[in-house]
Amino acid sequence: MHPPTAPAGDRGPVPDDAPGGASDAAPDGLSDDWDAWREANRARWDERVPLHMASAFYDLDAFRAGKDTLRDFEVAEVGDVTGRSLLHLQCHIGLDTLSWARRGAASVVGLDFSEPAVEAARDLAAELGLTPDRAAFVAADVYDAVEAVPDTAYDIVYTGVGALCWLPDIRRWAETAASLVAPGGFLYLSEIHPVADMLDEETGTRVTYDYFSREPWIDDTPGSYADADAATVHNRSVSWQHPVGDVVSALAGAGLRVDFLHEHDVTVFKRYAELEERDGYFRFAGDRPRVPLMYSLRASRV
């Protein structure tokens, strides 16, 4: 899971040569070498792997003891995975990937661009007694997944919470992910709703940001969603907002049939001060109008 950093950073326009880019140069030298956005994000995530491994947010002791990290609606919407192959794109340290293996998937493959995250995931799989034929992890950019993963197609291609915001080109992501779905299989996405990115970070009560913005969010906030007070060095991150319509259209354009799109009024971390924790989720108080904070969809290859 990769909950995004707060979008309250410098929002610079994307350069022409960036995937899905706009017309002007991004700030702070990012346009001089567009690979810089990826390297900035990679440095940030690499540094946070040991922080996350030690955090109460991920609670690895509980996970090792059998705790499942999947959300209840994900389990219900994906259904029985027994005997099926599953590819998890942008898997971070692999807890969700390994949770699917524990639920009976015949084989799971996790992919992430952070080498330390992949190494941590491999170590966890070994601790759980899962051999590489049951749970394998690959270090690669998600756009290179077709060449990087061991099989040509999977029954289920899964992308979990907080992943899409790190990708500049949602159409290229959809084409890559769709190409890895086996005939009769499906892609399942569980994600933070972009409406949540419109709201002010302090209270979540005011519309502050543009839903249709295509500009990158440049943020230098130290720490992590897993430990806001942690001392960190690599704090630059670059992320993008993808309206739901863009995601659905990209998957349809990649040849998948959208089976459902569900919106949820809960989220998985306390993004705004006014959120209350109940039943393992964070939500606004009952006397407040509800807004979508997460969404999930399934798209099948027929």
Side-chain angles (χ1 to χ4, degrees), residues 276-293:
E276 301 175 349
E277 185 174 10
R278 298 198 305 275
D279 304 322
Y281 294 102
F282 292 90
R283 63 191 83 209
F284 288 111
D287 59 350
R288 263 208 54 178
R290 293 180 296 168
V291 297
L293 298 175

Side-chain angles (χ1 to χ4, degrees), residues 129-186:
L130 295 169
T131 57
D133 62 316
R134 283 286 323 281
F137 291 91
V138 176
D141 190 283
V142 68
Y143 292 133
D144 299 326
V146 172
E147 295 78 24
V149 297
D151 298 308
T152 58
Y154 296 82
D155 297 322
I156 303 166
V157 175
Y158 168 80
T159 296
V161 179
L164 296 190
C165 68
W166 304 107
L167 304 177
D169 189 337
I170 202 66
R171 285 175 295 182
R172 186 177 170 197
W173 166 80
E175 290 164 359
T176 300
S179 72
L180 289 163
V181 178
F186 61 86

Side-chain angles (χ1 to χ4, degrees), residues 76-284:
E77 293 172 351
V78 169
D80 186 7
V81 298
T82 302
R84 310 192 78 178
S85 61
L86 183 144
L87 170 63
H88 181 182
L89 299 176
Q90 299 170 266
C91 69
H92 192 35
I93 58 175
L95 303 194
D96 290 352
T97 324
L98 295 170
S99 290
W100 288 119
R102 282 172 161 174
R103 285 185 169 272
S107 64
V108 297
V109 175
L111 178 145
D112 198 90
F113 77 157
S114 168
E115 289 270 6
V118 166
E119 288 301 322
R122 288 172 179 158
D123 289 346
L124 281 170
E127 284 185 51
L128 299 179
L130 295 169
T131 57
D133 62 316
R134 283 286 323 281
F137 291 91
V138 176
D141 190 283
V142 68
Y143 292 133
D144 299 326
V146 172
E147 295 78 24
V149 297
D151 298 308
T152 58
Y154 296 82
D155 297 322
I156 303 166
V157 175
Y158 168 80
T159 296
V161 179
L164 296 190
C165 68
W166 304 107
L167 304 177
D169 189 337
I170 202 66
R171 285 175 295 182
R172 186 177 170 197
W173 166 80
E175 290 164 359
T176 300
S179 72
L180 289 163
V181 178
F186 61 86
L187 175 143
Y188 180 82
L189 170 66
S190 173
E191 190 50 281
I192 295 168
H193 202 294
V195 163
D197 293 331
M198 297 169 58
L199 306 178
D200 73 280
E201 292 297 324
E202 292 75 27
T203 67
T205 60
R206 302 184 307 274
V207 174
T208 303
Y209 301 109
D210 183 355
Y211 181 83
F212 296 102
S213 173
R214 297 298 189 274
E215 297 177 356
W217 297 348
I218 313 299
D219 186 39
D220 292 295
T221 304
S224 164
Y225 57 86
D227 184 354
D229 298 323
T232 52
V233 174
H234 298 288
N235 297 322
R236 169 60 52 95
S237 69
V238 188
S239 58
W240 290 263
Q241 180 169 291
H242 301 296
V244 172
D246 286 4
V247 176
V248 170
S249 296
L251 291 170
L256 298 182
R257 181 195 66 200
V258 176
D259 301 318
F260 61 72
L261 167 64
H262 296 154
E263 296 173 295
H264 309 278
D265 63 351
V266 299
T267 190
V268 292
F269 67 114
K270 192 166 185 175
R271 182 165 185 170
Y272 320 112
E274 294 197 10
L275 292 179
E276 301 175 349
E277 185 174 10
R278 298 198 305 275
D279 304 322
Y281 294 102
F282 292 90
R283 63 191 83 209
F284 288 111

